[in-house]
Amino acid sequence: MRNLRFAACAVVLVLVAAGCAQLQSANRYAAAPGSVDEPFWCAPETGVALSANDCKLLSVQLDSAAFIANAHHTADAATAAGAVSSAYVAGEGAPFSFTGPTATFDPLAPDKLLYDGTDPASQVVGIEWNVTSTSAPDGFVGPNDEWTDEGGDVWSLRAWILRPFQNEPNVFATTHPCLEAGGGVYDITAPCYTATHTNPFRVLVTNDDGYANAGIDAAVEELLTIPNVEVTVSAPATNQSGTGRKTTAGPLTATNESTLSGYPATAVQGFPADSVLYGLNTLHVNPDLLVSGINDGQNISLNISNISGTVGAARQGALVDIPAVAVSQGLGSPPDFPSGAAALRSWVDDFLLGRAGPAIFEDVVNINIPTCPSGSIRGTKVVPLAIDFSSGNPFVTPPNCLSTLNDPVDDIAGFLNGFVTVTSVGTSGSITS
């Protein structure tokens, strides 16, 4: 087994602050290796399965690499950092070179990032190291590296760990089939995507209205239409609205129930954040995404988001680096849960395609969908969180889906003018009841 490089260890404190999604996934596996699936890079279809400990060490290294790659998410960012681009090559992408080959392998020092093109908006898809050596260098933990002899005592290694270009059969493959001659393929039903995403897309679903609410049922039924998805529902047994990120001291109890449409659900006697912890610690789910909602009623602005159990549950997941989205449907008679489900699906599709923001920098995402008394939803706006009600009171004024305003200043203005609002709310918030 190759040794963990000191450089990767040194960056752990940085990654703790920035988000260590892959390491946390490995930690959950290491804590319950008999009941939690390994991260795909630890149990490759092509290569050797790693021990729980080596899985954690490799995940530290991959987190280091992903941190560097996501800091240069677009080709424009890479160019601004001094990278020099080369032409796009099918299977490999367009390499942007930051330095020449290095003397030793360092997960924090890839000398090339691979993009889906060379225009400024092109997206980073892969990571490459080039090392000067007379033989294949020591690299990542484990024996699964695939070093290529480039000649002239230069060896190259690629890693495919960035959405949507993960390669689950072989994270260190030399090429990726979704980098076709015409460019990158962004289609979760494409054969190249299904061939490289052989594990289920695992989603943990919770809410604060209780497992039997119509909103969570709409979310679950929509998520189940995603190909190769595995949905686990762990939600409060009763309505727990307004409980923020409050948790219960001591053991939790739960019963096996069903959503309104009959999908299996675990009903937890506790708060929304308790339901997340129960899903992780008792059900041993190792999710790729946490969905909280769809809440019956908007959770909008700074003050409301901080007391929301819907947002609190999402924040609980994000504390252990699970990408999390809170989804709330505006009040109405009846609430327009079909529109809420469509908005959730649109965001999840962007998430799967790497277009919901670089994974390592994702905060908790808060989505609010108006229930239009007339007209229809006007689109989606990514906006800041309102810090007060200067844009209006969304709990008094109904949304105007016939509005002509196109540039809302915050989530309240967007919501009141008929837009689905998408806001980053971070992991911190009140833990009040």
Side-chain angles (χ1 to χ4, degrees):
M1 293 292 179
R2 297 177 174 91
N3 294 323
L4 180 65
R5 296 282 182 182
F6 288 110
C9 295
V11 80
V12 169
L13 291 178
V14 175
L15 293 174
V16 167
C20 304
Q22 300 183 98
L23 178 58
Q24 288 294 345
S25 181
N27 284 340
R28 287 188 287 275
Y29 157 67
S35 56
V36 173
D37 289 331
E38 305 98 325
F40 70 83
W41 52 89
C42 297
E45 296 175 27
T46 302
V48 177
L50 302 183
S51 67
N53 186 62
D54 280 347
C55 177
K56 290 174 65 175
L57 295 178
L58 175 60
S59 297
V60 174
Q61 294 181 309
L62 291 177
D63 268 320
S64 304
F67 179 83
I68 297 301
N70 283 318
H72 306 91
H73 185 60
T74 64
D76 186 55
T79 301
V84 178
S85 66
S86 299
Y88 177 90
V89 177
E92 301 177 8
F96 279 62
S97 300
F98 289 83
T99 66
T102 57
T104 58
F105 171 78
D106 183 346
L108 266 177
D111 60 301
K112 291 182 182 179
L113 295 179
L114 307 173
Y115 289 78
D116 61 4
T118 55
D119 64 87
S122 294
Q123 182 172 311
V124 64
V125 296
I127 308 170
E128 181 175 318
W129 291 260
N130 287 271
V131 177
T132 302
S133 179
T134 56
S135 60
D138 282 346
F140 285 97
V141 167
N144 295 323
D145 299 353
E146 287 198 9
W147 289 95
T148 299
D149 186 355
E150 302 289 353
D153 290 338
V154 174
W155 294 76
S156 66
L157 172 69
R158 295 183 179 131
W160 306 102
I161 57 175
L162 306 174
R163 291 193 306 265
F165 291 89
Q166 304 102 315
N167 191 333
E168 294 174 4
N170 182 4
V171 69
F172 299 117
T174 56
T175 60
H176 198 290
C178 280
L179 294 172
E180 296 184 349
V185 176
Y186 291 86
D187 179 357
I188 62 174
T189 66
C192 69
Y193 184 94
T194 57
T196 52
H197 293 72
T198 52
N199 295 308
F201 172 50
R202 298 179 179 88
V203 185
L204 177 61
V205 181
T206 192
N207 73 344
D208 74 354
D209 292 323
Y211 75 93
N213 185 267
I216 195 171
D217 183 63
V220 169
E221 292 303 300
E222 184 66 38
L223 290 167
L224 289 172
T225 66
I226 298 172
N228 197 27
V229 72
E230 185 177 282
V231 175
T232 301
V233 179
S234 178
T238 58
N239 190 309
Q240 297 293 330
S241 296
T243 54
R245 196 167 51 79
K246 193 173 182 180
T247 56
T248 300
L252 297 166
T253 59
T255 56
N256 295 325
E257 306 291 348
S258 298
T259 63
L260 291 179
S261 294
Y263 192 78
T266 298
V268 179
Q269 297 292 337
F271 301 107
D274 287 329
S275 299
V276 174
L277 294 173
Y278 193 90
L280 298 176
N281 300 331
T282 303
L283 301 179
H284 298 302
V285 181
N286 202 356
D288 301 299
L289 177 68
L290 169 65
V291 172
S292 182
I294 303 169
N295 188 65
D296 188 353
Q298 57 266 35
N299 282 304
I300 206 161
S301 81
L302 177 63
N303 291 335
I304 302 304
S305 296
N306 280 348
I307 66 172
S308 163
T310 304
V311 175
R315 283 172 166 161
Q316 185 63 52
L319 286 174
V320 288
D321 298 297
I322 302 169
V325 58
V327 188
S328 299
Q329 184 65 49
L331 295 168
S333 298
D336 185 10
F337 286 128
S339 290
L344 168 62
R345 176 61 187 271
S346 177
W347 185 89
V348 172
D349 284 346
D350 281 345
F351 172 83
L352 287 170
L353 296 178
R355 292 173 171 169
I360 241 168
F361 297 123
E362 281 170 359
D363 288 320
V364 177
V365 174
N366 189 27
I367 302 176
N368 282 274
I369 306 96
T371 295
C372 296
S374 60
S376 58
I377 290 173
R378 301 177 57 213
T380 299
K381 294 290 185 179
V382 178
V383 287
L385 191 69
I387 60 173
D388 54 36
F389 284 178
S390 59
S391 295
N393 189 332
F395 300 96
V396 174
T397 306
N400 177 11
C401 298
L402 300 174
S403 169
T404 58
L405 183 144
N406 288 317
D407 298 306
V409 296
D410 55 32
D411 61 340
I412 289 180
F415 181 86
L416 288 178
N417 285 278
F419 291 104
V420 174
T421 62
V422 180
T423 306
S424 174
V425 294
T427 57
S428 62
S430 299
I431 313 177
T432 56
S433 59

